[in-house]
Every structure is written in structure tokens, then in C-alpha cells.
């Protein structure tokens, strides 16, 4: 079995498909008794081995669906295998919405939460920050509920968990009143304007993304997703020009030259939040489909300088990059979130599917950003040494201890977790 991009073949040769929580618990308990390992597999959108195992994989796709809304608490509990794109319509019909969405609605709730997948917005934290509770099957086969109201510190450690604490079966997410949005695209923002006005432009709407192919002296596109006040006939006036970038009169795909039919509606047309927050439509192939991905988070204070460090390499980047997206994520308190305790800007790279050529260029990108202490996205490619990554999370040792408490036998560990969280010898490494 291979991942979505086709760059990774999983070690596991067995994918178990329980049809009930009881069956899942029995399966995990049986694996643990026999000294084996097991990991959950979702939509397989990770570009690295974070979800892999040398034991068994388990799919939750055949478990009963859940959609339990609590209007008073403004929360919804959903099954872990649900895709965001399948939830948003029913959620909107109840009058509620998520605070943000990833660019792809195709990904599963549990996978997105476990890897700190995010949208964009200077005031909007990542998807995982909405989690107020988790249900998971731990290494002894027990079903355990973690609730932020009862134990907020443990929940902060358990949300972005890389699958290391157990098989998550349900996630409770905070929701808010539903809202309408519009999406506008601006073409050709001068690099000088990005450098001098980044905070102003990034903060001009609910969500702002910058797209560049590192060709020429401009940012190719700026995607602006704006909330519209929830009243009949309401609209939001936007300028025709933003610091030299001109509002597009035709719809765009984030990758120049590709058909925009896969992208969500633009040109200022007002629609529902879930039809504007993602970049791509659920019923179309996301991005280009034939690609590799990497993403690095740095402190938002360094956005302009970090961009210039990369822009100096534009002639070398351009042949290998289909597109880069630059967007902001607000700080959160989740132990392993790349935005932990720092407002962040993420530099995302959609590379060509040439792993041999991309690998050395990715190392150069990471070296260029090293002065800004980048944290890599957990589900994407990175060559930053494990001990360096671990040292950039002040609570990584606490997470290792939480893993040992909830999974003392290491049923859910894999090579990725042991290397990045525990160090080469399998024991927790001190943080820097």
C-alpha cells in the first residue's frame, strides 16, 4: 500500500478493518498481548512515514459514523475517520461552523488533528486548537476519554500526538455560529510590498495566502478569504489593487497554468464558509496530484527576512517548485504543534515528483531558514535532524513521558516516533 502521493510504500502488509469499537479494542489488546505494534491509517495524505508501522495498520473507515452536536456547549463530536469535507455541510445546516479549514477538505479529522494541519489567518490557530476532547483506545485495549474541562494539560499534550498515544476513535471540536464568505485573488504582488507590508496584507481578511513559483519579481497570487456579515444582501468592499497587486477578473488555480475548475469559487461571489476556506473542491483532485510536499514554520516576526533568505535561491528553486504557499497561523498551547506558543508563518513547498532532485534542494531550504529555527510539518518531508526538531519543542520530554504513561508497552510506536520523540536509543531525549 502506498500513500496519496505515491512516494512512500508502507511497511505494513495487513490493514485491519474493525466494524465496531469493541472489535477495535479486542484487536488492539490482541496485538499488545503478542508483543506487536499497530497504527491507524487515514486518508494517507502524509508524505513521510509518520503513520507507518512494521506491525499492522488499522482503518477506521468501517466504524459507525458519529455526528453529535451540543448546541449549548457549541461542540460537535465526530468519528475519527470522517473527512472534513463530509462534515461541513451537515454542520452548516445546524447553524454552526469550524473556525478554520485546511486547503484540502479531503483529509480525515483524526489525521489532521494528530499532525497539526492548519488553515490560515493571523488570529486563527490550526485545526487541532479546536479540540476539546478525544476518545482513544490505549495500549491495553481500553477506551479512554480525555476532556479539556477535566485535564487541560493532558489534552494539550494528547491532541497533536502523531498517533503515538492510541487509536483515536472520536474527536470533540469547538464550533461557532455559521458565516458566509467571499474569496478574491490578487495577481502579481511586488516582492518589495511583501517585505514591507506583510503584516498589513496578511491581516486584511479572515484568511490570506501568498502563492509564488519563485519566478520573476512578484508573488504570483494573493488569495483573500473574507467573512461577510450574516445579514441579507451583505457584501464586503475590497479594493481593486493591494500595494501593486491587481484583483483578478478570472478564476485561478494556485498553480499557474492548471485548470481552476478544481479550486473553490472566487471573484468575490458570496457563499458558505466551507465553500471558501479550503482552496480545493472535495469532488476534484487536490493540488496537482503528482507532487511532493514540505512545510516549515517560523516565528511570524521573521516572515519578511525568511522570505528574502529563500528568494535569494529563486533561480534554483523555480525548476523544482510547482508552487509555494506562505500563510499565517496563530499561536496555540498544544505541546507538539509547530505553532506552539508563537504566532507563525508557514512556508509550504509543492515540489515536482522528483525525489532525487528535491532532497538536496530541501536541505538547502532548511539551511537557509535555520537562523529562524523552523519547525517542520509533521506529515511532510524534512531532513532536519531529529534531535534538532525535538529541541525546538520545550515540552517534547513531557510528551515522551505521556506516551510512556498511556502506552507503556510501545504498541503504537513506530520508527518515526522513536527517532523524533525518543532519540536513537528509544529513551526520552532532553530538550535544548
Amino acid at each position: 500500500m502506498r500513500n496519496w502521493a505515491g512516494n512512500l510504500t508502507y511497511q505494513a502488509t495487513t490493514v485491519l478493518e474493525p466494524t465496531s469499537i469493541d472489535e477495535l479494542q479486542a484487536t488492539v489488546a490482541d496485538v499488545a498481548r503478542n508483543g506487536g505494534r499497530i497504527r491507524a491509517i487515514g486518508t494517507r495524505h502524509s508524505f513521510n512515514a509518520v503513520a507507518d508501522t512494521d506491525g499492522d495498520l488499522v482503518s477506521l473507515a468501517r466504524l459507525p459514523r458519529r455526528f453529535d452536536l451540543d448546541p449549548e456547549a457549541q461542540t460537535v463530536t465526530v468519528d475519527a475517520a470522517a473527512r472534513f469535507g463530509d462534515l461541513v455541510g451537515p454542520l452548516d445546516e445546524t447553524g454552526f461552523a469550524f473556525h478554520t479549514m485546511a486547503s484540502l477538505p479531503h483529509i480525515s479529522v483524526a489525521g489532521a488533528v494528530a499532525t497539526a494541519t492548519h488553515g490560515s489567518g493571523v488570529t486563527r490557530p490550526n485545526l487541532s486548537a479546536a479540540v476539546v476532547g478525544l476518545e482513544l483506545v490505549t495500549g491495553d485495549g481500553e477506551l479512554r476519554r480525555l476532556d479539556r474541562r477535566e485535564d487541560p494539560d493532558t489534552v494539550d499534550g494528547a491532541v497533536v500526538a502523531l498517533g503515538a498515544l492510541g487509536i483515536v476513535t472520536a474527536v470533540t471540536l469547538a464550533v461557532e455560529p455559521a458565516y458566509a464568505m467571499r474569496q478574491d485573488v490578487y495577481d502579481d504582488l511586488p516582492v518589495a510590498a511583501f517585505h514591507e507590508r506583510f503584516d498589513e496584507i496578511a491581516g486584511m481578511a479572515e484568511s490570506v495566502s501568498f502563492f509564488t513559483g519563485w519566478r520573476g519579481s512578484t508573488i504570483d497570487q494573493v488569495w483573500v478569504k473574507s467573512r461577510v456579515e450574516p445579514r441579507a444582501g451583505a457584501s464586503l468592499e475590497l479594493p481593486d489593487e493591494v500595494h501593486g497587486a491587481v484583483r483578478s477578473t478570472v478564476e485561478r488555480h494556485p498553480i499557474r497554468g492548471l485548470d481552476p475548475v478544481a479550486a473553490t469559487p472566487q471573484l468575490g461571489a458570496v457563499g458558505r464558509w466551507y465553500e471558501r476556506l479550503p482552496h480545493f473542491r472535495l469532488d476534484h483532485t487536490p493540488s496537482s496530484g503528482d507532487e511532493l510536499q514540505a512545510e516549515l514554520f517560523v516565528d511570524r516576526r521573521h516572515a519578511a527576512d525568511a522570505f528574502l533568505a529563500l528568494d535569494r535561491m529563486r533561480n534554483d528553486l523555480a525548476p523544482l517548485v510547482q508552487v509555494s504557499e506562505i500563510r499565517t497561523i496563530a499561536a496555540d498551547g498544544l505541546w507538539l504543534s509547530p505553532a506552539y506558543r508563537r504566532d507563525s508563518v508557514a512556508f509550504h513547498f509543492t515540489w515536482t515528483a522528483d525525489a532525487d532532485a528535491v532532497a538536496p534542494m530541501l536541505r538547502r531550504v532548511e539551511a537557509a531558514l535555520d537562523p529562524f529555527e523552523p519547525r517542520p510539518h509533521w506529515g511532510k518531508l524534512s531532513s532536519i535532524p531529529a534531535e534538532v526538531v525535538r529541541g525546538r519543542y520545550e515540552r517534547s520530554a513531557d510528551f515522551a513521558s505521556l506516551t510512556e504513561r498511556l502506552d507503556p508497552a510501545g504498541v503504537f510506536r513506530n520508527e518515526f516516533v522513536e527517532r523524533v520523540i525518543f532519540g536513537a536509543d528509544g529513551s526520552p531525549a532532553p530538550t535544548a
Side-chain angles (χ1 to χ4, degrees), residues 386-387 390 400 413-430:
E387 63 273 15
R390 189 166 52 247
R413 288 197 202 177
N414 63 358
E415 187 276 334
F416 186 98
V417 170
E418 288 184 335
R419 175 171 51 85
V420 177
I421 303 300
F422 289 90
D425 63 356
S427 60

Side-chain angles (χ1 to χ4, degrees), residues 161-176:
L162 315 181
L165 303 183
I167 307 295
V168 174
T169 58
V171 181
T172 301
L173 299 153
V175 294
E176 60 186 70

Side-chain angles (χ1 to χ4, degrees), residues 214-216 310-320 361:
W214 305 103
R215 298 166 181 87
L310 296 172
D311 195 50
R312 296 186 188 104
M313 304 162 53
R314 65 167 47 248
N315 291 337
D316 296 325
L317 285 170
L320 293 175
M361 183 54 62

Side-chain angles (χ1 to χ4, degrees), residues 64-77:
R65 304 277 70 87
R66 287 188 65 179
F67 186 90
D68 303 327
L69 181 73
D70 185 336
E72 288 191 13
Q74 294 200 358
T75 63
V76 64
T77 299

Side-chain angles (χ1 to χ4, degrees), residues 238-254:
L238 288 176
D240 290 331
E241 181 184 352
V242 175
H243 300 298
V246 178
R247 189 162 56 185
S248 178
T249 57
V250 297
E251 293 202 331
R252 301 291 192 194
H253 189 287

Side-chain angles (χ1 to χ4, degrees), residues 81-103:
R83 299 185 305 171
F84 277 96
D86 297 324
L87 296 173
V88 290
L91 181 61
D92 185 68
E93 290 174 3
T94 69
F96 289 99
F98 294 125
H99 78 281
T100 190
M101 287 185 68
S103 37

Side-chain angles (χ1 to χ4, degrees), residues 84 102 107-118 127-128 160 377:
F84 277 96
I107 56 179
S108 69
V109 172
V113 163
T115 55
T117 295
H118 61 94
L127 293 166
S128 310
V160 184
H377 189 298

Side-chain angles (χ1 to χ4, degrees), residues 132-153:
V132 295
L134 294 168
E135 293 177 14
L136 69 163
V137 176
T138 54
D140 54 7
E142 294 298 312
L143 182 64
R144 180 164 180 165
R145 168 78 184 177
L146 302 178
D147 192 309
R148 180 171 295 284
R149 293 167 299 183
E150 299 172 359
D151 191 351
D153 199 48

